[in-house]
Amino acid sequence: MTQDKAAAGGRPGLAASIKQRLIQESLQRKMRGAGRQAPAADTAGSHAQVPEQHYRFALHPGYQQLRILSEGAATLGVSSPFFKLHEGNAGASTRIAGQPYLNFASYNYLGLSGDPEVAAAAKAAIDHYGTSVSASRLVSGERPVHRELEQALADLYDVDDAVTFVSGHATNVSTLGFLFGPNDLIVHDELIHNSVLQGIQLSGARRLSFPHNDADALDALLAGNRRQFERVLVVLEGIYSMDGDYPDLPRFVEIKHRHRVFLMVDEAHSLGVMGTRGHGIREHFGLRGGDVDIWMGTLSKTLAGCGGYIAGERALIEHLKCLAPGFLYSVGMPPPVAAASLAALGRLRALPDRVADLQARGASFLAQARAAGIDTGTSTGLAIVPAIVGTSLRAARLSAALFARGINAQPILYPAVPEKSARLRFFLCSQHSEADISTAVSALTQELARL
């Protein structure tokens, strides 16, 4: 724990107010001193020395790069594939601009977003609690539905407790940024999600990566670096969303114990997808809940809501709930969202056939795509199958060609992936039929040949 974090103690509101007051007083003293010592400045000349790009968003280098890419694509006749307006619930199918599409761009893996029981739970929560809890949960935003959801998540992982955040991305950022500091090391798979990288940057911890799913490389890295740091965390994903593959988790658990480090698994895409009942990578490998120190996941995919969660031992969860800024200073999750995810969790337990259907559709898509000679990389066919096609331009054109044929599959372009690994990403849902799979793979094969 860094000194600033330790100073927060058990009274974070008081500590924050004192710190802010001291900062303000210090700034005022400096300004008064500057006013006594500095000669009068030439205001006009001072302004003239500030480059225009330093105070205009339109000249920000990142925005300029975006404009160049957009204009270049337009010159080549490629329209933007992003921000399509879906006019209803999006699952195996959707409607865009009044037209029906076979949809492979949704995380609605088990069709629980739009499920009547899930929708009814959200509506009932609105009637009972309103649309917002209107406060941080620490002060007056706590509602029974929050604790019911968190206990259900803890039961799913067979751990002490869980805590939910209002954003999946912010769950990783706030958790990592709060728990670790400059004396610590965070080691991650080279394909880890952006939210983990942002959290590490916020923490100030040293960051090292290891080759994708390479447990031996991690073992060697820890052997050479572990003793130089206090706390060390290893971060993996349950299923990697760009590639559709997963780690040999028992091997990583073994390494965790040998080097006495923490292990965190991001289950954003593996909950509802892996395991006979869809209980995730833990069920897939038959592991105990305590084999992983930090279970993280999102509510926006299988669980048909929005936000994220951390599950683990009581000390971890209590620490985060009382002091993590992303929880402490954020409004509580809206009751209808919490109620929807709680109901979706109940439906997950009640509908193992949907998990089996999802796994069958994924396996079928992968087998047919590989038989057609499509580069699917390292995908295991568990809900996510990429079609790796090369350049970003090629991927964008392929996506547009499929869209013209009534198939919605989004391209993943540089810098999200290396330029030569640009791809279309196909997300499977339990509601996809075998005919849907055959239609999509056939169209994909034909359009790739035309490119």
Side-chain angles (χ1 to χ4, degrees):
M1 183 181 293
T2 65
Q3 186 175 358
D4 286 344
K5 291 171 183 171
R11 304 178 64 187
L14 178 61
S17 64
I18 292 173
K19 182 177 179 180
Q20 186 63 30
R21 190 185 71 196
L22 292 173
I23 291 172
Q24 291 296 329
E25 290 176 354
S26 176
L27 286 173
Q28 289 170 5
R29 285 195 299 270
K30 289 180 180 179
M31 291 174 68
R32 286 195 297 268
R36 287 193 300 267
Q37 299 169 14
D42 181 349
T43 303
S46 175
H47 288 175
Q49 294 173 13
V50 180
E52 195 175 4
Q53 62 266 32
H54 290 177
Y55 60 88
R56 289 190 58 196
F57 285 121
L59 298 179
H60 190 288
Y63 180 68
Q64 289 292 303
Q65 183 180 16
L66 179 63
R67 289 292 304 272
I68 291 170
L69 291 173
S70 298
E71 291 167 5
T75 300
L76 294 169
V78 179
S79 59
S80 172
F82 307 118
F83 295 104
K84 294 185 176 79
L85 287 172
H86 295 251
E87 296 164 355
N89 186 56
S93 61
T94 190
R95 291 187 71 84
I96 301 171
Q99 299 298 314
Y101 287 86
L102 187 55
N103 189 34
F104 293 94
S106 169
Y107 306 142
N108 194 6
Y109 292 128
L110 300 182
L112 296 178
S113 177
D115 179 89
E117 291 190 24
V118 174
K123 293 172 185 176
I126 291 175
D127 291 340
H128 190 72
Y129 298 111
T131 55
S132 173
V133 297
S134 307
S136 164
R137 283 177 59 188
L138 186 75
V139 288
S140 62
E142 189 86 342
R143 300 293 184 271
V145 69
H146 293 137
R147 293 305 299 132
E148 291 168 15
L149 172 59
E150 289 166 347
Q151 191 55 58
L153 288 165
D155 291 345
L156 183 76
Y157 284 99
D158 192 23
V159 294
D160 294 340
D161 206 351
V163 57
T164 54
F165 293 74
V166 293
S167 159
H169 190 281
T171 300
N172 277 335
V173 173
S174 191
T175 297
L176 296 174
F178 171 67
L179 289 177
F180 299 92
N183 296 329
D184 303 328
L185 169 68
I186 301 179
V187 186
H188 61 85
D189 187 290
E190 64 180 346
L191 300 185
I192 206 71
H193 193 263
N194 170 270
S195 57
V196 172
L197 300 179
Q198 293 294 314
I200 297 171
Q201 183 177 4
L202 177 63
S203 76
R206 172 79 182 278
R207 179 174 73 88
L208 294 173
S209 66
F210 60 91
H212 182 49
N213 281 338
D214 191 337
D216 290 335
L218 172 65
D219 196 18
L221 186 155
L222 291 175
N225 292 275
R226 171 63 184 97
R227 294 185 180 278
Q228 301 174 33
F229 299 91
E230 293 177 3
R231 285 166 292 274
V232 175
L233 173 71
V234 174
V235 191
L236 315 171
E237 293 186 31
I239 290 180
Y240 289 87
S241 63
M242 294 296 175
D243 295 87
D245 59 1
Y246 57 87
D248 180 3
L249 189 53
R251 176 87 171 95
F252 286 94
V253 170
E254 173 195 336
I255 292 170
K256 156 201 149 56
H257 287 302
R258 181 162 59 255
H259 293 283
R260 297 188 177 184
V261 302
F262 293 115
L263 178 61
M264 176 178 182
V265 177
D266 181 334
E267 281 229 276
H269 291 276
S270 49
L271 181 65
V273 173
M274 298 184 75
T276 304
R277 299 168 297 167
H279 290 191
I281 194 169
R282 184 176 81 87
E283 182 185 33
H284 178 86
F285 283 111
L287 297 172
R288 297 178 298 110
D291 287 333
V292 169
D293 301 286
I294 306 174
W295 291 103
M296 180 271 172
T298 57
L299 305 174
S300 57
K301 299 172 178 65
T302 290
L303 296 185
C306 187
Y309 62 85
I310 296 291
E313 66 174 283
R314 184 164 287 103
L316 166 69
I317 304 307
E318 191 173 336
H319 196 191
L320 291 174
K321 287 182 72 172
C322 291
L323 293 174
F327 181 86
L328 179 63
Y329 298 109
S330 171
V331 70
M333 181 177 291
V337 174
S341 290
L342 178 60
L345 196 51
R347 297 291 278 163
L348 168 63
R349 294 182 181 276
L351 299 170
D353 288 350
R354 289 199 185 183
V355 178
D357 289 344
L358 171 63
Q359 293 172 353
R361 297 296 91 76
S364 178
F365 192 106
L366 181 65
Q368 291 185 46
R370 285 181 174 170
I374 295 167
D375 182 0
T376 58
T378 56
S379 174
T380 58
L382 286 170
I384 302 169
V385 182
I388 302 170
V389 299
T391 66
S392 294
L393 178 60
R394 185 175 169 86
R397 283 177 167 165
L398 179 59
S399 176
L402 290 178
F403 192 73
R405 295 179 62 158
I407 298 171
N408 184 43
Q410 289 294 96
I412 304 298
L413 314 174
Y414 176 83
V417 292
E419 173 60 18
K420 295 300 181 181
S421 297
R423 64 198 62 192
L424 266 61
R425 214 169 29 158
F426 290 83
F427 291 100
L428 285 302
C429 301
S430 59
Q431 280 68 36
H432 280 126
S433 67
E434 277 296 331
D436 293 338
I437 302 302
S438 297
T439 296
V441 175
S442 176
L444 175 62
T445 304
Q446 293 168 17
E447 295 303 330
L448 269 172
R450 289 193 179 99
L451 284 177

